[in-house]
Amino acid sequence: MRIVVAMSGGVDSSVAAALLNDAGHDVVGLSMQLYDQSKNEHFGSCCTLDDLHDARRTAATLEIPHYIVNYQSSFSKHVVRNFVSEYAAGRTPIPCVHCNGELKFSHLLDRATALNTAAVATGHYAQVDRDAYTGLYRLRRGVDRGKDQSYFLFSLNQAQLARAAFPVGSLNKAQVRSYARDWNLPVADKPDSQELCFIANGDHANFVESHATTPLPKGNILDESGRILGQHDGVHHFTVGQRKGLRIASSSRLYVTSIDAISRSVTVGNRKDLEESTLTASAVNWIGGAPPKTPLQVTAQIRHRHAEAAAVVHAQEGGRAVVRFDNPQLSVTPGQAVVFYDADEVLGGGWID
């Protein structure tokens, strides 16, 4: 088949291209330019000009064609604006999910169609297959559970999964790097990026302030009884569960338990105050298409690095769901995703309200 590979310049997507090339596919490398490289003072350490150069060097090593596509406008619209507005609203966004759904498996799929290619492959640690009985495509965790990225792909639908490929999903990280060395890829030992691609030094608050279209006012820090403990410089500095950076003198550890952007208040409490047994989610995507008609027993994951926990999902009208956990969970955070699993299969997920 002719397959487009989204090449970020990292080792995972580079090996994805190499694996497909070795399997005899007609591989085309595409790299996305996501922001103006001449104005990158607020941007992070990946998806840079150096990364685009690394992708091109890898493509040259593999002897495959490589193109750079300009998605600055789409990235700004679907990812950056959402990131800024969510933090300003007191929520904690996940830009990677929007980038996957709105760019890699939407815009990039359109580009792949124009190039007469059958699929889009990425370097995600995930797997996709097709149920022999239902004919539906299934999204599954990557074999390397420490690197599994299926959580970030919950928004994909059947049409997108039908044309998705995750070549490194059946490998662990050590195998990926070994394969890259065998191919003498220039990125074989390149460190993994630990930051959001558009945030410099992890300073999301500065980024939000520099891109916000309205003022981000200061407010009060309250205890659980509503007593004022101090002031803050804006709700965009906080996330539920946060302990550091509160600038409050206390004899016990305090954590952010809730954020109210309307009243501009940030409430803090002890660790026990972070426990929640129920959450509501919106814009829920069911990968199989239709929501379950009866309550569904799942394991649910409320953050990428959060351990999955037994829960029951009650699908609601309007793409909503109520999730009830068997045991209370810490730091259920508005703006994050709750993703539903059956063993290693992703059933769906939605945005925590």
Side-chain angles (χ1 to χ4, degrees):
M1 294 190 299
R2 196 170 200 220
I3 300 179
V4 159
V5 180
M7 299 182 68
S8 66
V11 65
D12 298 325
S13 61
S14 297
V15 168
L19 287 165
L20 293 171
N21 192 50
D22 280 352
H25 296 292
D26 180 8
V27 179
V28 178
L30 290 186
S31 296
M32 300 186 296
Q33 181 175 322
L34 301 179
Y35 47 83
D36 187 345
Q37 302 286 353
S38 67
K39 301 176 181 178
N40 66 345
E41 65 272 14
H42 295 298
F43 289 92
S45 61
C46 68
C47 303
T48 63
L49 284 174
D50 288 340
D51 293 309
L52 296 179
H53 180 62
D54 286 341
R56 177 155 288 178
R57 288 198 300 153
T58 296
T61 300
L62 298 174
E63 298 183 344
I64 62 173
H66 176 259
Y67 306 95
I68 296 175
V69 289
N70 189 324
Y71 284 153
Q72 289 178 211
S73 177
S74 295
F75 186 73
S76 176
K77 177 181 178 181
H78 295 293
V79 181
V80 174
R81 291 182 195 174
N82 174 268
F83 182 86
V84 173
S85 64
E86 284 285 270
Y87 261 115
R91 296 162 62 90
T92 306
I94 316 176
C96 296
V97 174
H98 293 287
C99 188
N100 289 327
E102 302 293 341
L103 270 69
K104 291 179 182 175
F105 291 100
S106 179
H107 287 42
L108 209 56
L109 266 178
D110 291 341
R111 188 61 61 94
T113 299
L115 291 171
N116 194 31
T117 55
V120 168
T122 70
H124 285 101
Y125 286 84
Q127 301 180 87
V128 62
D129 61 20
R130 196 171 190 181
D131 190 294
Y133 297 100
T134 66
L136 295 174
Y137 290 91
R138 302 182 300 182
L139 175 65
R140 295 165 48 222
R141 289 189 184 276
V143 168
D144 189 336
R145 288 295 293 268
K147 291 292 183 179
D148 171 53
Q149 294 170 303
S150 60
Y151 175 88
F152 298 111
L153 299 167
F154 78 87
S155 67
L156 300 188
N157 57 38
Q158 285 291 303
Q160 292 168 326
L161 286 173
R163 299 182 62 193
F166 307 113
V168 303
S170 60
L171 305 177
N172 61 41
K173 189 70 180 194
Q175 290 172 314
V176 167
R177 290 211 180 270
S178 176
Y179 198 90
R181 295 186 189 105
D182 289 344
W183 250 104
N184 292 317
L185 298 183
V187 295
D189 295 303
K190 184 176 180 178
D192 292 336
S193 174
Q194 301 297 321
E195 303 174 352
L196 293 176
C197 68
F198 57 95
I199 303 296
N201 303 317
D203 188 357
H204 75 268
N206 180 59
F207 183 90
V208 171
E209 289 165 8
S210 64
H211 288 78
T213 57
T214 58
L216 299 171
K218 299 181 179 182
N220 293 323
I221 299 178
L222 314 175
D223 65 15
E224 289 288 333
S225 67
R227 182 169 60 98
I228 296 176
L229 302 179
Q231 282 72 46
H232 64 75
D233 294 328
V235 297
H236 60 291
H237 286 272
F238 303 93
T239 184
V240 170
Q242 180 177 331
R243 181 172 66 85
K244 297 181 179 180
L246 302 182
R247 295 182 297 181
I248 298 175
S250 174
S251 58
S252 60
R253 289 186 174 182
L254 294 176
Y255 302 81
V256 174
T257 58
S258 65
I259 302 169
D260 188 334
I262 296 177
S263 65
R264 305 192 301 276
S265 61
V266 174
T267 301
V268 298
N270 58 42
R271 184 178 173 85
K272 188 71 176 177
D273 295 322
L274 288 172
E275 293 184 352
E276 297 283 355
S277 296
T278 304
L279 66 81
T280 59
S282 58
V284 176
N285 176 58
W286 294 99
I287 288 178
K293 296 181 179 179
T294 59
L296 185 64
Q297 185 74 47
V298 301
T299 56
Q301 194 168 326
I302 59 172
R303 284 181 183 261
H304 175 224
R305 293 299 184 189
H306 194 278
E308 57 188 306
V312 177
V313 181
H314 302 259
Q316 309 285 307
E317 294 182 355
R320 299 181 62 80
V322 174
V323 183
R324 304 187 190 283
F325 292 95
D326 291 6
N327 298 298
Q329 300 298 301
L330 286 173
S331 304
V332 176
T333 306
Q336 293 286 290
V338 56
V339 179
F340 316 131
Y341 290 86
D342 177 11
D344 72 340
E345 181 183 355
V346 181
L347 302 178
W351 299 101
I352 298 173
D353 288 333

